[in-house]
DNA sequence: CGGGATCCGGCTGGATACTG
DNA sequence: CAGTATCCAGCCGGATCCCG
């Protein structure tokens, strides 16, 4: 029950809002929670941060160097957002200069798995997708 | 090798750009493909559409009713985007009134698995996340 | 070192009206 | 039924400067 549970366990309510939707219980597509998690992990940087922190605890500028392309501001905002949702723990060491470490919480680590599988899917299919995209654009001129 | 491959197979290049990044081969976090796939599936509606089409072929207004909250314009744009990337196949039956069916392609179905697992994760952890969010906001006033 | 404050352009997505 | 066209607000994210 741990390796592949495409749908939530019994007893877990599918959705707490939008109960007026004629949603078959076989799906959670209409559940706002799906949209909510995408707002968190689906922005430009969160997923990369989660993947990186899945490798181990990291300092701020360490993440900044590794992620490559992320601005200071966006790294701060992304980490704050993940911290707010309880996915990342922020540890401040009041030294001079200050030291701040970030690491995944238990929930954050549980997110790492589906997120990394989505990342793996992206890597595996990127050429085919790029090709399909080119074909589509070429057909439409 | 089919059930859980968190990382790409050997022989599959991790990344074709950003080769100057000191990326350990154990991770694909810095790969632009990860960002690319998030731009596709990470928008407001694509994931829900993919989940819904995973249940079977659907007509336009059928999807519109089921997804609940999506506008006509956004459903069109979302479906076009997925079609452009080769994830969705669009079949037009030139009748009066016209009939258009949408279904996942093979790649689209392969996406369904990681996407639905992410959706399941969202449903399973939404209360904990909402609680953490409230705590964070309360602590910050 | 690890941020916060400010400014700003561009894209996302909603509302509405119209069409074959 | 299945779109297209237009307008527009809001947020996302980059650049820059400052700070303890």
């Amino acid at each position: 029950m741990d390796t592949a549970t495409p749908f939530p366990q019994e007893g877990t309510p599918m959705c707490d809002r939008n109960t007026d939707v004629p949603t078959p219980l076989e799906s959670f597509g209409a559940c706002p929670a799906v949209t909510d998690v995408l707002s968190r992990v689906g922005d430009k940087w969160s997923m990369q941060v989660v993947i990186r922190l899945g490798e181990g605890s990291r300092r701020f500028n360490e993440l900044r160097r590794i992620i490559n392309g992320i601005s200071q501001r966006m790294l701060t905002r992304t980490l704050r957002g993940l911290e707010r949702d309880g996915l990342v723990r922020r540890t401040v060491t009041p030294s001079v200069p200050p030291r701040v470490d970030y690491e995944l919480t238990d929930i954050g680590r549980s997110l790492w798995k589906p997120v990394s599988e989505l990342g793996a899917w992206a890597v595996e299919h990127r050429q085919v997708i790029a090709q399909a995209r080119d074909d589509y654009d070429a057909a439409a001129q």
Side-chain angles (χ1 to χ4, degrees), chain A residues 1-93:
Chain A
M1 68 175 186
D2 183 35
T3 51
T5 52
F7 297 112
Q9 318 292 351
E10 290 186 29
T12 303
M14 299 293 298
C15 196
D16 40 18
R17 293 199 298 279
N18 287 356
T19 47
D20 52 330
V21 187
T23 307
L25 285 178
E26 297 83 11
S27 174
F28 45 79
C31 186
V34 174
T35 300
D36 288 353
V37 72
L38 281 190
S39 305
R40 160 95 344 278
V41 86
D43 63 16
K44 194 170 181 181
W45 301 108
S46 290
M47 187 162 156
Q48 293 195 37
V49 169
V50 167
I51 292 179
R52 286 311 190 166
L53 289 181
E55 304 166 1
S57 176
R58 292 283 160 82
R59 297 182 62 178
F60 184 84
N61 277 339
E62 197 175 355
L63 279 173
R64 183 153 156 62
R65 278 190 306 272
I66 289 177
I67 293 189
N68 179 256
I70 193 170
S71 68
Q72 192 180 40
R73 171 185 144 94
M74 287 317 296
L75 180 54
T76 302
R77 289 183 55 130
T78 301
L79 287 168
R80 287 290 178 279
L82 293 171
E83 186 194 4
R84 187 167 101 104
D85 285 1
L87 304 176
V88 159
R89 181 167 31 247
R90 179 172 179 265
T91 309
V92 182
T93 306

